[in-house]
Amino acid sequence: MMRKYINKVFIYLIFFFITYVYLVNVKIVWIDLFPISISQICYLISFTCCSFMLLWSLVKTMMTDPGKVPQNWGFFLDQNEQRKRRFCLNCHLFKPERCHHCSACNRCVLNMDHHCPWINNCVGFYNRKFFMQMLFYVILDSFMGLFGLFIGLRQEYINIQNDDFQLIKTLLILIAFGVCGLAIFLITRFFKMHIDLVLENRTTIENLERKRSEEQGQNQEDKNPYDLGHYYNWVQVFGTNKYYWFLPIDNIEGRPSGDGILWPRRHRQDSEQTGDNFPSTNNNTRVQN
């Protein structure tokens, strides 16, 4: 019960800070401090669009189911696949490869990356794209906000020299400036790490398992059998239509490639796949090792 309320607090904080920075930057800085101009209108439209994309991707990340395991999956596998079955004692079902049980959500999640308390949801196969877009728009929106708030602070400095100091307004701008700067500092490195994981076709959990194995001195000949090359790794998360890579849309062309259950594997002889068609996972087919 306590965890439920804590998760709600995280969500309320996110929406509060997004709204706070937007209102301070738009109303207190650009509307109150400066006369209307073409450059002002262009900036406000761009900043508003960026803030909208941030909220859209945030809501999609929160509301999209990360991926459920089909109830009867695992009972109709061939002999080779039978040996790879893993049974979840909590959910009472067989888990596909790359599927993990989340103790916070109390369920198994397809291609689980991690549980994020800030969105009160797991990041998995079906919402990892939206999570990555959310991080991208957090950084972009923060940079744009930082620019606008810096202009406002410079104008406030000029006003102070002209004996027109307004303490409350200056404090509000400083706090918003600090929020944007902190977001850039924290999220940029985090975003880069997740970009690297997507390009390597790993999840956060798999990356931690790899590091743990290396620390224990375990020798892995095939460190990542799911690595199909940067392009195919990317479309497994973002889909094949490039127009939807920046839009949090989950129609057929905007969905990740595959089904989150069956995973193509790379050839041992080839470290990079070539061609225009994504390796098929339909009808239980795989790229053979």
Side-chain angles (χ1 to χ4, degrees):
M1 183 63 69
M2 182 61 67
R3 177 182 291 179
K4 180 179 179 180
Y5 289 112
I6 293 176
N7 290 337
K8 288 185 177 180
V9 170
F10 282 134
I11 295 173
Y12 292 148
L13 281 175
I14 289 179
F15 281 102
F16 169 76
F17 282 125
I18 294 175
T19 305
Y20 173 79
V21 170
Y22 180 81
L23 292 177
V24 170
N25 190 29
V26 172
K27 178 65 172 64
I28 296 181
V29 174
W30 287 92
I31 293 180
D32 292 350
L33 293 181
F34 301 104
I36 297 177
S37 63
I38 298 298
S39 59
Q40 178 196 44
I41 294 174
C42 291
Y43 171 80
L44 291 180
I45 291 176
S46 300
F47 181 65
T48 299
C49 290
C50 188
S51 298
F52 172 76
M53 294 300 297
L54 170 58
L55 287 173
W56 187 8
S57 57
L58 172 62
V59 171
K60 290 290 291 186
T61 308
M62 293 170 52
M63 303 302 294
T64 302
D65 191 299
K68 291 182 179 180
V69 180
Q71 190 64 36
N72 295 324
W73 185 89
F75 291 97
F76 306 102
L77 299 177
D78 57 35
Q79 188 64 32
N80 292 329
E81 294 292 342
Q82 287 281 350
R83 294 175 296 180
K84 301 179 181 180
R85 293 193 306 181
R86 298 176 300 145
F87 190 77
C88 179
L89 297 176
N90 296 295
C91 298
H92 304 291
L93 49 75
F94 290 103
K95 297 188 295 184
E97 55 184 330
R98 312 189 78 180
C99 176
H100 297 274
H101 183 86
C102 176
S103 58
C105 296
N106 194 28
R107 52 166 290 190
C108 288
V109 177
L110 294 178
N111 194 217
M112 178 178 173
D113 186 85
H114 69 285
H115 180 85
C116 181
W118 292 98
I119 61 174
N120 192 26
N121 196 7
C122 278
V123 177
F125 181 75
Y126 287 107
N127 68 344
R128 192 178 184 187
K129 166 189 171 181
F130 305 139
F131 177 75
M132 297 294 295
Q133 291 171 335
M134 180 190 69
L135 295 181
F136 171 76
Y137 287 115
V138 166
I139 297 172
L140 183 59
D141 194 56
S142 296
F143 268 113
M144 294 191 66
L146 205 67
F147 170 78
L149 293 165
F150 174 78
I151 300 298
L153 287 174
R154 188 180 65 175
Q155 184 61 40
E156 283 296 313
Y157 177 76
I158 296 174
N159 293 339
I160 292 174
Q161 291 181 326
N162 295 330
D163 297 327
D164 187 20
F165 177 62
Q166 299 183 35
L167 177 61
I168 302 299
K169 182 180 294 186
T170 304
L171 285 177
L172 291 175
I173 298 175
L174 278 173
I175 293 173
F177 187 86
V179 170
C180 290
L182 184 63
I184 293 173
F185 176 77
L186 295 176
I187 302 299
T188 300
R189 187 174 180 180
F190 185 67
F191 179 64
K192 181 184 181 303
M193 180 194 75
H194 276 279
I195 287 289
D196 292 338
L197 290 178
V198 170
L199 294 177
E200 294 173 3
N201 206 334
R202 297 185 192 272
T203 63
T204 299
I205 294 176
E206 292 169 346
N207 194 48
L208 292 175
E209 291 175 346
R210 175 185 64 85
K211 291 182 178 179
R212 190 179 301 114
S213 299
E214 291 177 352
E215 292 174 357
Q216 295 174 352
Q218 296 180 4
N219 185 21
Q220 296 176 321
E221 294 183 0
D222 191 0
K223 293 185 178 181
N224 186 11
Y226 307 110
D227 186 3
L228 305 176
H230 287 174
Y231 173 75
Y232 287 122
N233 295 342
W234 182 269
V235 300
Q236 274 192 351
V237 176
F238 288 88
T240 56
N241 193 322
K242 299 179 181 179
Y243 295 106
Y244 292 107
W245 286 358
F246 295 94
L247 296 175
I249 296 175
D250 57 355
N251 59 8
I252 296 178
E253 293 182 333
R255 291 175 183 171
S257 297
D259 57 7
I261 298 176
L262 299 176
W263 294 91
R265 296 169 179 261
R266 66 182 175 88
H267 292 285
R268 286 185 176 179
Q269 296 83 1
D270 301 323
S271 60
E272 196 83 12
Q273 297 266 351
T274 58
D276 297 325
N277 296 322
F278 186 81
S280 175
T281 58
N282 295 330
N283 300 325
N284 293 346
T285 58
R286 292 174 181 270
V287 178
Q288 298 295 325
N289 283 332

